[in-house]
Amino acid sequence: MADTPAPGPATDQGTAPAGGGRAPEHLDRERVAHLAGLARIALDDAELDRLAGELSVVLDAVAQVQEVATADVPATSHPVPLSNVVRPDVPVPGLTQAEALSGAPAVDEGRFRVPRILEED
Amino acid sequence: MTDDLTRMGAAAMADALAAGQVSSVELTTAALERIDAVDGDATSGVHAFLHVAHEDALAAARAVDEARAAGRELATLAGVPVAVKDVVATRGMPTTVGSRILQGWVPPYDATLVARLREAGTPLLGKTNMDEFAMGSSTEHSAYGPTRNPWDPERIPGGSGGGSAAAVAAFQAPLAVGTDTGGSIRQPAAVTGSVGVKPTYGGVSRYGLVALASSLDQAGPCARSVLDAALLHEVMGGHDPRDSTSLPGGPPPVVAAARQGASGDLAGVRVGLVRELDGEGYQPGVRARFAEAVDHLRAAGAEVVEVSAPHFRYALVAYYLILPSEASSNLAKFDAMRFGLRVGDADPAATAEKVMAATREAGFGDEVKRRIILGTYALSAGYYDAYYGSAQKVRTLVQRDFDACFAQADVLVSPTAPTTAFRFGDKLDDPMAMYLNDVATIPANLAGVPGMSLPTGLADEDGLPAGIQLLAPVAEDARLYRVGAALEARLQAAWGGSLLDRAPAVAAAPRPAGDSQPLLREGAHA
């Protein structure tokens, strides 16, 4: 995708803690801008400043999870054990084309009309 | 007469309908008139509703009255009106999740729980206000303005399901549907003097709910009594093939359990006091009412033991990593392409990515942005193990704590929320202070166990409602209803009636006419 490289490394490997140790707990403005880019939210300058402060407070607090998350504790991703679930292979009607398009911000000839994907060269 | 009808509970309504003493049209009209009289808008009134479905509700009421007149067999709740939190998809009825990004969106399908309500013949009164995307503990984060607590209009009604709880407590609806991701049914119930239940995870289908954190979200009932909650729970619950995490089998026998419990006898029941959920930071009046409720449990014959859950102190912080992580993924669907708001595409040079970013900037409120960014960080390479991975390990430890506690007790109890309802704005600038409101309710979501909140009385220092939380093992929802109904019977005998009968009268605040959605309150997120 044609994109301006975001500030900071794309995968933050350079500053990451090793082996689940205590992570850096302060997000600076540039890091928040980078994360906002990944999350596709166009934050303005005031929001970047405020979020950098608020998120640092929250991260300070949540870093406590590392105190008890030792290597011998298995992770649980879901409260109830999951097994693969399949439904009977019987066709059932879905939404009609008109229903599927009914909430779209723009429609053209029975299709979703979307902005261009690529920037012009 | 109209006022009397709105003060009837759902079970009493069902009995009166079955006996031919009242019609669904009368009950539904009374509820709609009450909403029109007291709900107001973003600047005054309860503001529990984002959308009132006058025509839809009355059409459903007429249909069920005709079916009854024709002698057809009807569900227990047929004709009893219900309000639905605006996070639940309702075909032909706006669904906004309290967000600008979905303003005016009308789903082309019903959530399974809504389909079951319609099938049971319950008229849908409309959609209740909520914190945007269910992120919040106060309903101040609704893009459409806050809901006010019927006990004091200067105070929050709890969150995120403040609209559902307030609608029930202000006698606008006998029943309401809520969703509980970290306490969003139980905490609003506690601060409004109503009853709220988070069923076992998977007990009520999530198909058609706008997902916040999929491994934590659970729909459940808001009501004015334990039995009323049970009636709604049974209509909504049971397996749904459209939700792969839905539990097999039918709903648990909660109505029978509530009726059994109403005798007030708890001989042979072991109740565990969770030491870690009754500590510092709990308001004195909340603790005093809780202690009295525990005395009532003892008087009913229950054996009360103290249990310890040492890892609960990490549950809150684990939750505030898991929730944003799952939310950042779930909310990626709001991309301005297929539904909802679109901003910034007038410029012919605009790209999809720029439109997406501009739309999400304009459409999401501050709390939603904060959590999406936090989740994006917690899931990013290099930080995943330290944050999200560690939080999932805490989840294991919390589950083990529950297992150990339930080896010693049939149900666990704690105050539902640390304080009574706080004033608007008190915690808006301090995210961690706001998050602490859910400290007692969150462990249940991490472990999937069911939880109930019911009123314990009014705190001495401010005269506002406090609540007790009951917790039971996975799939043992019926225990909550049995113990809850027994406690409720004893408390109401001591009070001489329902706690909500002692609530101050809600001031008249006419709601703008019609079915239309209120306009956004400008600057709601300024």
Side-chain angles (χ1 to χ4, degrees):
Chain A
M1 188 184 280
D3 194 5
T4 314
T11 57
D12 296 327
Q13 295 284 12
T15 54
R22 186 167 283 269
E25 286 149 15
H26 292 282
L27 285 181
D28 59 23
R29 194 174 182 285
E30 285 66 39
R31 178 63 58 80
V32 175
H34 173 54
L35 292 167
L38 293 176
R40 300 286 185 269
I41 302 176
L43 297 177
D44 62 31
D45 287 348
E47 283 178 309
L48 288 174
D49 288 335
R50 196 181 65 246
L51 276 172
E54 289 173 352
L55 288 172
S56 292
V57 172
V58 174
L59 279 177
D60 272 343
V62 297
Q64 282 176 49
V65 291
Q66 296 163 34
E67 293 172 9
V68 288
T70 50
D72 58 322
V73 179
T76 298
S77 63
H78 226 259
V80 177
L82 288 175
S83 55
N84 199 16
V85 177
V86 291
R87 67 165 172 83
D89 189 14
V90 178
V92 290
L95 296 179
T96 65
Q97 185 180 14
E99 285 171 336
L101 292 169
S102 64
V107 173
D108 191 8
E109 296 181 10
R111 292 169 291 182
F112 294 102
R113 181 184 172 91
V114 301
R116 72 178 74 233
I117 303 296
L118 299 176
E119 304 219 37
E120 287 187 81
D121 290 327
Chain B
M1 180 64 184
T2 299
D3 270 1
D4 294 344
L5 290 181
T6 60
R7 296 183 87 87
M8 278 173 91
M13 284 185 181
D15 289 346
L17 283 161
Q21 295 162 345
V22 69
S23 71
S24 179
V25 167
E26 288 173 302
L27 291 173
T28 304
T29 300
L32 291 168
E33 287 178 353
R34 173 76 176 168
I35 294 167
D36 289 343
V38 302
D39 205 52
D41 56 21
T43 58
S44 67
V46 181
H47 198 225
F49 284 83
L50 294 179
H51 175 81
V52 183
H54 296 87
E55 290 178 18
D56 191 275
L58 285 170
R62 278 192 293 273
V64 77
D65 283 342
E66 285 165 15
R68 198 182 300 275
R72 289 220 284 281
E73 192 172 331
L74 298 172
T76 306
L77 278 183
V80 176
V82 178
V84 179
K85 188 176 178 182
D86 205 29
V87 67
V88 183
T90 41
R91 184 184 173 98
M93 200 184 290
T95 299
T96 71
V97 209
S99 179
R100 286 169 197 262
I101 211 160
L102 275 183
Q103 186 176 18
W105 182 60
V106 178
Y109 70 108
D110 274 332
T112 294
L113 77 85
V114 169
R116 287 180 179 173
L117 289 172
R118 292 196 203 267
E119 179 69 26
T122 64
L124 303 185
L125 295 169
K127 306 300 288 294
T128 57
N129 200 5
M130 59 183 287
D131 282 304
E132 184 178 5
F133 284 99
M135 296 184 192
S137 306
S138 66
T139 316
E140 292 169 289
H141 293 292
S142 169
Y144 304 97
T147 295
R148 277 165 282 275
N149 192 318
W151 289 80
D152 179 350
E154 301 301 315
R155 292 177 188 264
I156 61 112
S160 66
S164 287
V168 165
F171 300 100
Q172 296 173 306
L175 295 170
V177 176
T179 59
D180 189 312
T181 304
S184 292
I185 292 174
R186 290 162 286 160
Q187 183 255 8
V191 302
T192 59
S194 55
V195 176
V197 179
K198 182 197 92 71
T200 295
Y201 180 83
V204 175
S205 171
R206 284 183 298 108
Y207 176 80
L209 270 55
V210 180
L212 168 57
S214 310
S215 77
L216 304 165
D217 296 343
Q218 182 56 58
C222 307
R224 292 185 214 128
S225 75
V226 173
L227 176 59
D228 286 2
L231 289 164
L232 181 56
H233 189 150
E234 282 203 6
V235 171
M236 294 192 291
H239 181 67
D240 175 18
R242 289 174 141 159
D243 175 357
S244 65
T245 59
S246 164
L247 296 176
V254 293
V255 173
R259 292 194 193 280
Q260 183 197 357
S263 69
D265 180 12
L266 292 178
V269 174
R270 291 170 306 161
V271 173
L273 285 176
V274 185
R275 188 186 304 152
E276 288 78 7
L277 294 183
D278 187 23
E280 288 176 28
Y282 283 69
Q283 192 177 318
V286 170
R287 296 185 71 181
R289 293 295 87 80
F290 173 69
E292 287 169 8
V294 173
D295 287 342
H296 279 292
L297 291 170
R298 278 198 195 92
E303 178 192 354
V304 178
V305 298
E306 186 171 291
V307 296
S308 176
H311 298 98
F312 279 16
R313 61 181 287 240
Y314 297 99
L316 181 79
V317 291
Y319 174 84
Y320 277 102
L321 288 166
I322 293 167
L323 181 143
S325 298
E326 294 188 12
S328 69
S329 169
N330 276 327
L331 270 55
K333 71 170 78 72
F334 297 95
D335 58 7
M337 298 299 137
R338 291 149 298 142
F339 45 76
L341 184 71
R342 180 183 287 179
V343 168
D345 67 345
D347 177 0
T351 62
E353 187 179 338
K354 285 177 181 162
V355 167
M356 216 178 280
T359 300
R360 288 161 67 84
E361 161 69 355
F364 289 146
D366 291 341
E367 183 64 20
V368 175
K369 290 173 188 165
R370 182 156 60 205
R371 295 200 197 183
I372 289 176
I373 305 272
L374 180 62
T376 304
Y377 178 74
L379 290 178
S380 60
Y383 293 98
Y384 184 94
D385 287 343
Y387 287 118
Y388 186 71
S390 295
Q392 300 285 46
K393 290 183 173 188
V394 170
R395 198 165 192 167
T396 305
L397 297 170
V398 168
Q399 289 190 344
R400 289 177 182 171
D401 280 0
F402 270 118
D403 290 344
C405 290
F406 286 129
Q408 301 169 65
D410 300 305
V411 296
L412 308 180
V413 295
S414 76
T416 309
T419 68
T420 56
F422 52 89
R423 286 194 170 79
F424 287 114
D426 268 5
K427 302 190 179 182
L428 269 183
D429 296 331
D430 184 350
M432 285 316 296
M434 178 78 85
Y435 298 169
L436 274 169
N437 268 282
D438 299 332
V439 69
T441 49
I442 279 172
N445 299 82
L446 292 177
V449 307
M452 167 186 285
S453 177
L454 64 152
T456 52
L458 306 179
D460 295 324
E461 55 271 31
D462 53 22
L464 292 168
I468 183 174
Q469 170 178 241
L470 312 176
L471 301 167
V474 163
E476 297 291 345
D477 304 49
R479 284 188 205 171
L480 301 179
Y481 286 92
R482 183 183 163 204
V483 177
L487 177 57
E488 177 182 67
R490 285 178 176 266
L491 286 167
Q492 294 199 355
W495 298 332
S498 160
L499 189 71
L500 282 171
D501 290 339
R502 294 155 67 183
V506 176
R511 193 186 160 80
D515 277 0
S516 64
Q517 243 181 314
L519 292 173
L520 275 176
R521 188 181 59 150
E522 285 309 313
H525 281 289

